Each structure stands twice: as C-alpha cells, then as structure tokens.
Amino acid sequence: MVVLKGVPALLSPELLYALARMGHGDEIVLADANFPTSSLCQCGPTEIRADGLGIPQLLEAVLKLLPLDTYVESPAAVMELVPNDQARGLQTPVWRRYEYLLHEAGCTKSLEKVERFAFYERARKAFAVVATG
C-alpha cells in the first residue's frame, strides 16, 4: 500500500474516493453511531463506514482536503435538537468543537441547525453518509 503525503491516515480509501468524486453542490454527512445510516443509504447515498472514529477527528481530517462551499449560506449543518431535548436544556458541546474546526478551515459562517426530519431528507440527497462511532 502506498502512503500519500499530507493525507490524514484515518481517511479510508473509500472515503478518499468519495471526496475525490464530489463536485459543486454535493454534500457529505458525517453521522454518529445512532444515525440510521444503513437504512437511509439503501436507496440513496453511498454508505461509508468509519467505525471507531469520532465526528470531530474525522471532520478535522476531511477539512484538510475538502474545500467548503463559499456560495451557500452555511457550508455545514447539524441536526437540531428535538423540542423535548431543547425544553430539557440538553447541551451539545461538540457543536462548539465543530465550529472551531470549521473556523480553523477558514469558514466564517455559522453552523446551520436543521430540524430532525428535514435533516434526514437532506441526508437522503447527500453524495455519501459516513457512519462514525
């Protein structure tokens, strides 16, 4: 196996291939272990496994290679908390980590929050969904 210089070792060949094939308007979902990746990808995006990795470390690696779309309102989105979790005051400190990583990659726009079922619909149209966890 050849090791490419400057390419984060945690990015699998399958993920690198997906990133290389993406074009204008394509989106990739970095999903946690509870996201319904396999069922959602049965009739849609490519499923890529990244078991054992967390979203923050994967996001950091992907941002080293993939330019963010500067022509959209926000080039990154998360699934918004459901109303019950919002009412309970559930905190999502990992979102601050995402924002930090995006800022380090040159993104000056806010992280978009997308309602749960709208996020699922958007993910169905993604180029690929990467299952982490």
Side-chain angles (χ1 to χ4, degrees):
M1 180 169 95
V2 175
V3 177
L4 300 173
K5 293 180 179 182
V7 176
L10 60 90
L11 297 178
S12 69
E14 186 180 21
L15 180 51
L16 289 170
Y17 183 57
L19 293 173
R21 292 176 26 231
M22 290 175 63
H24 294 290
D26 283 335
E27 294 185 327
I28 189 165
V29 177
L30 304 182
D32 68 15
N34 295 312
F35 192 77
T37 302
S38 292
S39 60
L40 190 137
C41 290
Q42 285 182 356
C43 299
T46 300
E47 178 178 358
I48 300 172
R49 302 298 308 182
D51 300 302
L53 297 176
I55 292 175
Q57 69 186 127
L58 191 59
L59 177 61
E60 184 174 16
V62 167
L63 288 172
K64 291 180 189 300
L65 303 178
L66 187 71
L68 294 171
D69 192 342
T70 59
Y71 296 106
V72 294
E73 190 171 320
S74 179
V78 293
M79 183 188 300
E80 186 174 53
L81 293 174
V82 296
N84 194 31
D85 287 341
Q86 290 176 10
R88 289 184 319 147
L90 183 69
Q91 299 297 305
T92 51
V94 73
W95 289 358
R96 286 192 294 280
R97 178 75 178 144
Y98 299 161
E99 288 173 331
Y100 171 79
L101 293 170
L102 290 162
H103 177 75
E104 288 293 302
C107 180
T108 59
K109 299 179 181 179
S110 298
L111 195 59
E112 180 181 357
K113 278 78 171 182
V114 179
E115 186 273 332
R116 178 182 179 194
F117 293 105
F119 190 92
Y120 290 148
E121 285 306 311
R122 185 168 171 179
R124 280 185 178 84
K125 297 173 188 163
F127 188 86
V129 178
V130 183
T132 66

